[in-house]
Amino acid sequence: MELAEVKVNVVDNHVLQDSPVVLPDTQEPTQIRSIGFITETLPIKHIQNLRGFMYSKYRTDLDRPHVARTPEGEFLLDGLDLVIDAEKDGNRTITSDVESFDVHCEPELCFRAAGSRMKPRGGHAPYMEKCVTVRFLLNMLLSTDENLQIFGHGGKRSSDGSAGNREDDARQILCKKFNNNRDTINSYLSHIAYLHEEAIEYFIEQDVNKAFFDDVRKEKTNLLNRLIGEKVGDDQLPNQISDFMIQAYEEYVKVRKEGKKKGKKTNPQQAEPSPNADQSQNT
């Protein structure tokens, strides 16, 4: 999916100023690191959002907004809800935790923003929000003119320092940034594939967990293969896959609720655990 299709998160019709896309002219790849951290009061109108990045709909656990300062300005990493609350209260400034960088690099700032929820520091993020973030960052890495070495990646390197496949390198970067294995990153990308925007919003609102997507993975793949075999147009695939996934989730919830009701009727009292229960589960 093209980057333009990833919606900027809007809360109460508030959209922070879009940041310009600036790609530093870096001849020698160098790691991007923060050079300082300070708490200070910022004018709200100076805080820009990261273009195309979907900020979490869940409130942050942070006490103050986390803002990055680069040569291009101040950019929100987490705490959109705090900024909106301050504006509603009539405030023109907000006390923020400001992290400084000596260069401006949009992908790196997005990694920092995503890390607050992917490796929870800022608070909970629904599983589908994580899928959106991983897909967005992968697309950003594939579209940037930056040398991917500045973000760090593993894998077998060729003589020019790359693994020889840009998408492979990009996925490896995601693994290292979020301390995930390759299967986890691939699952994020697979589970969001062929879902339209309304379905994505639905699964975020329902806070659907990974277990559901794993349970219906085979059925989704079979449906996709059948639709492709029937030469269904690419523009129609998301509609049919999304409808199937939403119906499957509604059935999934229904079955789980019925199972819980039956469990209460047939097992009114919880059975005593066996002395070796813990040991048997760990073998």
Side-chain angles (χ1 to χ4, degrees), residues 35-130:
I35 58 175
F37 199 93
I38 189 173
T39 299
E40 64 178 270
T41 300
L42 299 175
I44 292 176
K45 67 179 182 180
H46 289 177
I47 302 174
Q48 304 175 59
N49 78 318
L50 297 169
R51 190 173 70 172
F53 183 80
M54 191 178 83
Y55 293 93
S56 179
K57 291 188 175 183
Y58 280 64
R59 295 189 65 85
T60 183
D61 289 341
L62 301 177
D63 295 325
R64 296 173 291 275
H66 184 194
V67 176
R69 173 176 289 144
T70 79
E72 301 296 330
E74 281 89 28
F75 300 85
L76 183 68
L77 300 183
D78 196 8
L80 178 60
D81 55 296
L82 300 178
V83 176
I84 292 170
D85 287 348
E87 283 191 316
K88 286 181 176 178
D89 291 339
N91 298 319
R92 296 185 178 181
T93 62
I94 188 167
T95 302
S96 306
D97 291 330
V98 182
E99 188 172 4
S100 297
F101 299 84
D102 58 357
V103 297
H104 181 88
C105 180
E106 196 100 352
E108 180 63 25
L109 295 182
C110 288
F111 274 123
R112 302 277 175 151
S116 184
R117 301 299 178 116
M118 295 289 290
K119 298 186 292 186
R121 170 175 171 267
H124 170 75
Y127 178 75
M128 184 50 63
E129 269 191 8
K130 295 181 180 181

Side-chain angles (χ1 to χ4, degrees), residues 166-194:
R166 191 172 180 84
E167 180 162 352
D168 188 67
D169 286 346
R171 292 188 184 225
Q172 187 63 23
I173 288 168
L174 294 171
C175 291
K176 299 192 77 170
K177 287 288 187 181
F178 300 130
N179 196 28
N180 289 145
N181 59 37
R182 192 60 169 264
D183 287 343
T184 299
I185 295 299
N186 288 343
S187 290
Y188 286 136
L189 296 168
S190 174
H191 290 161
I192 197 174
Y194 295 100

Side-chain angles (χ1 to χ4, degrees), residues 156-171:
K156 184 177 180 181
R157 310 291 179 84
S158 61
S159 58
D160 66 355
S162 68
N165 181 302
R166 191 172 180 84
E167 180 162 352
D168 188 67
D169 286 346
R171 292 188 184 225

